[in-house]
């Protein structure tokens, strides 16, 4: 029992560091942006109304929607938009048209994650470093250079992995939340009447008296729930209980106290609206708070960068992006990966965002559209999961998700007002990623259709070959093929040029599925083709690490003894040639051909030994 409690405490502490870093840094800018927007007349009644809206937004969206409802929709223990998408697509697999649209919506939501991944580190670190301006206006000129230095250092250490520094995330973030609570309480004790804003009637009164203003400021209010998607995305790492325990015992109370502390400060000093978070702190604590805030924002950014690596790997295995170079940064934890292209691509986009927008207030205008649209998509997918996957009654499904749909739609609609003030930025990034993903998916479908049209039946081909068999050489040959039952081009080239066949021949197809994990007991499907030839299908979930040699070890004892020193892997390296025809439009075919050319080799992706791989190329027109 004590070991179990210790494990729960450790997981809860880790969840505080990884899951809640983003939402924990929202206090730096959320209140400032609402009152600094110029849309809310500064009166005591309005302070109560806004704080009440903040509290009930956190309660409805985070506590009820994500912590209590969405966390239930796990996919074999995994969470996140990809896991939800897989659940929804499986739930409607007997409705192909609906499934196609849900996949498109889900992949678009995943694309928006990258837009969020650019804005979040930029606004978080910039808002923390802007605390220097509170210490002295002379520091203003150093805010952007220092922000870029912090961000560069953050991205530069990614290749070393987060294992070493990750153990400090939880304690530092716990100290951060403790500091938030202390700062809030120090102001609340001076104006305890501010706690009356916990009552929803203040929020409802403000909405009733200022409906137009309420709609406009929802675009700034949503800043208080940025990072809510991380609760669901990190479900597989920590589990439901630690995430829920961390929220209700530490994060929610600390955020509430800090927001109400900022409100109490504004009641006493309306001029503090220019930066209420830092102005709550006594003068002697300003420098430590800037340092602590910078650490907290770096940790929040780290969690999002790690999430970008994880999501990219999952999307690749679902077939929506080409293979990229993926490096494992931990021998013990296979989930710790580093993708150089994603790392430096994100960094370049973040630098562009910081230089383009130049302040956290300007970035706040760009923030929100991607986040709220992702929230809306999650709600839509949840409906299809509980309706068609869990078979709940229609009325109950509408009741469970309809309210959240209305709330998410209101936040998204409000954020659309910011479209021309910066909101276009994450949408452009998401749109580019979505175009790349759909082009790759459709291009692969065209390529596979072409391969199938030109394919030769494997069983018939082998029967013909063994009528007058070629010379057999010692060892084993593993031929990778996209479709089971078809002759790989590499085999044709091998017979044509080398005029030999190995003693043992395996024709291997790798299948990726819309489930997070597939165990080793279900990894292989084997069919004997005679003459020491086998058809093998290898199954992976989108969170499994492909390792073909390890998977093929299971063939031992089934008539084929694969010895690593005498096994060769034959791969077809196809060159795609775009042609005018019935495929995609010309520019998309050219884009696909370029993506196909730049994709990392299947050998690295499948963890094949470098000294045992033979690549044979061919040109394919699409």
């Amino acid at each position: 029992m004590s070991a179990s409690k210790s494990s729960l405490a450790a997981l809860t502490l880790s969840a505080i560091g990884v899951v809640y870093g983003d939402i924990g840094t929202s206090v730096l800018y959320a209140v400032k942006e609402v009152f600094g927007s110029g849309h809310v007349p500064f009166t005591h009644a309005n302070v109560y109304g806004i704080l009440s809206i903040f509290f009930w937004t956190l309660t409805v969206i985070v506590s009820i929607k994500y912590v209590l409802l969405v966390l239930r929709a796990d996919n074999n223990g995994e969470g996140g938009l990809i896991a939800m998408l897989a659940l929804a697509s499986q739930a409607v697999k007997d409705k192909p048209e609906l499934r196609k649209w849900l996949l498109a919506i889900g992949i678009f939501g995943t694309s928006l994650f990258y837009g969020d991944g650019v804005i979040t580190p930029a606004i978080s670190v910039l808002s923390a470093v802007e605390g220097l301006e509170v210490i002295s206006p002379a520091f203003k000129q150093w805010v952007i250079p220092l922000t870029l230095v912090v961000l560069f250092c953050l991205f530069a250490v990614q290749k070393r992995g987060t294992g070493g520094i990750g153990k400090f995330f939880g304690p530092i973030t716990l100290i951060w939340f403790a500091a938030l609570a202390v700062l809030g309480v120090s102001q609340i004790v001076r104006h305890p009447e501010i706690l009356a804003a916990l009552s929803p009637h203040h929020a409802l009164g403000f909405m009733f008296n200022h409906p137009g203003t309420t709609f406009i400021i929802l675009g700034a209010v949503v800043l208080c729930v940025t990072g809510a998607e991380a609760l669901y995305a990190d479900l597989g790492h920590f589990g439901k209980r630690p995430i829920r325990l961390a929220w209700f015992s530490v994060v929610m109370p600390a955020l509430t106290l800090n927001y109400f502390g900022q409100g109490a400060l504004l009641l006493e000093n309306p001029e503090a609206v220019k930066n209420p978070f830092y102005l709550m702190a006594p003068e002697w604590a300003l420098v430590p708070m800037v340092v602590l805030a910078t650490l907290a924002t770096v940790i929040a950014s780290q969690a999002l960068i790690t999430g970008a690596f994880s999501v990219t790997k999952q999307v690749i295995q679902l077939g929506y992006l080409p293979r990229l170079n993926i490096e494992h940064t931990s021998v013990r934890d296979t989930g710790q990966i580093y993708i150089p292209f994603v790392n430096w691509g994100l960094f370049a986009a973040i630098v562009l965002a910081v230089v383009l927008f130049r302040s956290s207030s300007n970035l706040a205008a760009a923030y929100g559209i991607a986040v709220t649209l992702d929230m809306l998509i999650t709600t839509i997918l949840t409906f299809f999961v509980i309706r068609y996957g869990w078979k709940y009654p229609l009325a109950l499904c509408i009741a469970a998700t309809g309210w959240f749909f209305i709330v998410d739609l209101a936040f998204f609609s409000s954020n659309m007002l910011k479209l021309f003030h910066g909101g276009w930025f994450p949408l452009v990034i998401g749109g580019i990623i979505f175009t790349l993903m759909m082009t790759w998916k459709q291009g692969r479908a065209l390529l596979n259709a072409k391969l199938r049209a030109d394919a030769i039946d494997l069983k018939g081909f082998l029967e013909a070959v063994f009528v007058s068999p070629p010379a057999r050489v010692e060892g084993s040959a593993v031929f990778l093929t996209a479709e089971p039952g078809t002759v790989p081009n590499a085999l044709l080239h091998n017979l044509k040029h080398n005029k030999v066949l190995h003693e043992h021949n395996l024709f291997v197809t790798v299948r990726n599925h819309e489930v997070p994990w597939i165990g080793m007991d279900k990894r292989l499907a084997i069919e004997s083709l005679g003459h020491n030839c086998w058809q093998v299908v290898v199954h992976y979930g989108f969170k499994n690490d492909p390792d073909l040699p390890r998977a093929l070890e299971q063939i031992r004892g089934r008539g084929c003894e694969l010895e690593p020193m005498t096994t060769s892997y034959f791969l077809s390296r196809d060159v795609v040639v775009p042609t005018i025809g019935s495929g995609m439009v010309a520019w998309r075919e050219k884009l696909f051909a370029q993506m196909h050319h730049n994709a990392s080799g299947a050998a690295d992706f499948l963890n094949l030994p470098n000294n045992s791989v033979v690549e044979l190329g061919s040109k394919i027109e699409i």
Side-chain angles (χ1 to χ4, degrees):
M1 180 67 76
S2 60
S4 175
K5 286 183 178 177
S6 174
S7 175
L8 178 62
L11 281 171
T12 303
L13 182 61
S14 298
I16 289 171
V18 176
V19 179
Y20 295 109
D22 189 3
I23 200 169
T25 55
S26 299
V27 293
L28 288 165
Y29 44 80
V31 173
K32 178 176 73 171
E33 294 310 317
V34 171
F35 283 104
S37 65
H39 296 293
V40 182
F42 197 91
T43 65
H44 282 205
N46 287 351
V47 172
Y48 281 85
I50 295 298
L51 285 179
S52 188
I53 290 173
F54 266 69
F55 176 76
W56 287 102
T57 298
L58 285 169
T59 301
V60 170
I61 292 182
V62 184
S63 298
I64 299 175
K65 177 185 172 182
Y66 280 96
V67 177
L68 296 181
L69 176 64
V70 174
L71 280 186
R72 293 188 61 212
D74 66 293
N75 190 338
N76 295 321
E78 294 295 326
L81 199 53
I82 292 286
M84 178 72 83
L85 173 59
L87 275 177
S89 68
Q90 286 294 307
V92 297
K93 60 185 177 184
D94 56 336
K95 299 175 174 61
E97 194 64 26
L98 176 59
R99 183 175 181 273
K100 184 180 80 173
W101 281 103
L102 282 183
L103 282 169
I105 291 170
I107 291 299
F108 182 63
T110 304
S111 305
L112 289 173
F113 172 82
Y114 293 93
D116 183 22
V118 169
I119 299 292
T120 296
I123 191 173
S124 297
V125 176
L126 193 53
S127 61
V129 178
E130 281 174 348
L132 292 172
E133 296 179 36
V134 179
I135 298 171
S136 169
F139 287 126
K140 184 171 184 178
Q141 61 181 324
W142 295 102
V143 168
I144 289 177
L146 192 55
T147 298
L148 295 178
V149 168
V150 170
L151 288 167
F152 175 77
C153 293
L154 173 63
F155 281 88
V157 301
Q158 293 306 310
K159 62 183 176 184
R160 301 182 182 276
T162 58
I165 58 173
K167 58 185 176 223
F168 299 111
F169 284 6
I172 291 173
T173 312
L174 184 61
I175 293 169
W176 169 251
F177 281 115
L180 297 188
V182 169
L183 284 180
V185 169
S186 69
Q187 298 296 325
I188 291 171
V189 293
R190 298 166 69 169
H191 292 278
E193 66 273 15
I194 196 68
L195 294 176
L198 290 169
S199 170
H201 85 272
H202 287 285
L204 295 172
F206 183 90
M207 293 178 189
F208 181 78
N209 293 324
H210 310 282
T213 301
T214 300
F215 178 73
I216 292 170
I217 65 163
L218 285 180
V221 171
V222 77
L223 295 171
C224 77
V225 292
T226 57
E229 285 278 341
L231 275 76
Y232 185 45
D234 290 311
L235 175 59
H237 294 287
F238 304 104
K240 298 183 184 74
R241 196 176 173 199
I243 290 175
R244 286 171 172 160
L245 185 61
W247 174 253
F248 287 114
S249 65
V250 175
V251 182
M252 178 72 170
L255 291 178
T256 302
L257 288 170
N258 194 268
Y259 282 127
F260 277 67
Q262 292 186 46
L265 174 65
L266 293 178
L267 289 181
E268 184 175 294
N269 179 19
E271 293 297 315
V273 74
K274 61 186 178 184
N275 203 324
F277 175 79
Y278 280 116
L279 290 172
M280 279 197 297
E283 198 169 321
W284 61 266
L286 273 176
V287 173
M289 281 308 301
V290 170
V291 172
L292 184 57
T294 304
L295 286 173
T297 54
V298 165
I299 290 170
S301 303
Q302 174 62 63
L304 204 142
I305 295 165
T306 304
F309 294 156
S310 178
V311 166
T312 301
K313 180 190 164 205
Q314 293 171 31
V315 169
I316 289 170
Q317 292 190 221
L318 283 176
Y320 283 92
L321 279 179
R323 292 182 300 268
L324 297 172
N325 177 30
I326 298 176
E327 300 175 13
H328 288 267
T329 58
S330 170
V331 176
R332 192 166 48 86
D333 185 359
T334 58
Q336 287 191 25
I337 58 174
Y338 169 65
I339 306 178
F341 180 81
V342 174
N343 187 67
W344 294 112
L346 266 180
F347 175 70
I350 288 169
V351 169
L352 179 62
V354 171
V355 173
L356 196 62
F357 291 96
R358 305 195 69 79
S359 76
S360 61
S361 292
N362 291 340
L363 275 167
Y367 210 17
I369 291 183
V371 176
T372 51
L373 193 48
D374 262 352
M375 289 179 175
L376 192 61
I377 290 170
T378 298
T379 300
I380 292 169
L381 294 178
T382 302
F383 170 81
F384 288 100
V385 170
I386 64 177
R387 174 70 182 124
Y388 296 103
W390 299 353
K391 308 295 184 186
Y392 283 6
L394 179 62
L396 179 61
C397 295
I398 292 174
T401 59
W403 164 245
F404 297 118
F405 180 84
I406 292 169
V407 171
D408 292 338
L409 186 61
F411 276 109
F412 172 65
S413 302
S414 174
N415 275 278
M416 283 301 290
L417 297 174
K418 302 191 290 189
L419 182 62
F420 298 107
H421 301 282
W424 57 268
F425 187 75
L427 286 183
V428 166
I429 293 172
I432 291 171
I433 301 294
F434 180 70
T435 301
L436 292 174
M437 286 184 179
M438 298 310 292
T439 298
W440 180 256
K441 186 71 172 178
Q442 290 174 246
R444 286 296 302 174
L446 288 171
L447 184 60
N448 289 336
K450 177 67 174 174
L451 290 171
R452 278 194 299 272
D454 298 338
I456 303 170
D457 177 65
L458 180 60
K459 289 182 180 179
F461 179 80
L462 290 176
E463 287 175 11
V465 166
F466 285 110
V467 168
S468 179
R472 305 291 289 264
V473 295
E474 290 185 2
S476 303
V478 176
F479 295 94
L480 267 74
T481 174
E483 291 290 332
T486 61
V487 178
N489 284 336
L491 174 63
L492 295 173
H493 286 297
N494 192 43
L495 286 172
K496 179 180 178 182
H497 297 292
N498 299 326
K499 297 180 175 56
V500 297
L501 208 58
H502 282 71
E503 183 183 359
H504 299 98
N505 297 276
L506 276 69
F507 303 95
V508 176
T509 301
V510 176
R511 286 269 190 257
N512 292 301
H513 298 271
E514 295 174 358
V515 295
W517 304 101
I518 291 177
M520 292 299 288
D521 58 323
K522 298 178 181 176
R523 180 73 75 232
L524 297 186
I526 306 168
E527 179 188 354
S528 175
L529 303 174
H531 306 283
N532 283 339
C533 296
W534 291 267
Q535 174 74 63
V536 181
V537 180
V538 185
H539 300 281
Y540 289 108
F542 59 77
K543 296 208 75 172
N544 285 123
D545 284 309
D547 189 332
L548 190 58
R550 185 182 174 204
L552 293 179
E553 286 175 3
Q554 294 187 42
I555 291 180
R556 291 182 185 277
R558 303 194 192 188
C560 178
E561 300 298 321
L562 280 183
E563 295 298 331
M565 297 303 294
T566 59
T567 300
S568 298
Y569 296 87
F570 290 84
L571 281 66
S572 298
R573 186 73 174 185
D574 303 319
V575 177
V576 175
V577 181
T579 58
I580 298 172
S582 59
M584 297 181 287
V585 294
W587 70 268
R588 291 186 70 198
E589 286 197 358
K590 290 178 181 177
L591 175 61
F592 172 72
Q594 193 61 42
M595 292 172 74
H596 192 274
H597 175 73
N598 292 329
S600 69
D604 292 333
F605 189 74
L606 296 172
N607 201 32
L608 304 183
N610 292 329
N611 58 353
S612 301
V613 175
V614 180
E615 286 195 338
L616 299 167
S618 61
K619 289 187 176 181
I620 300 176
E621 294 184 352
I622 61 168

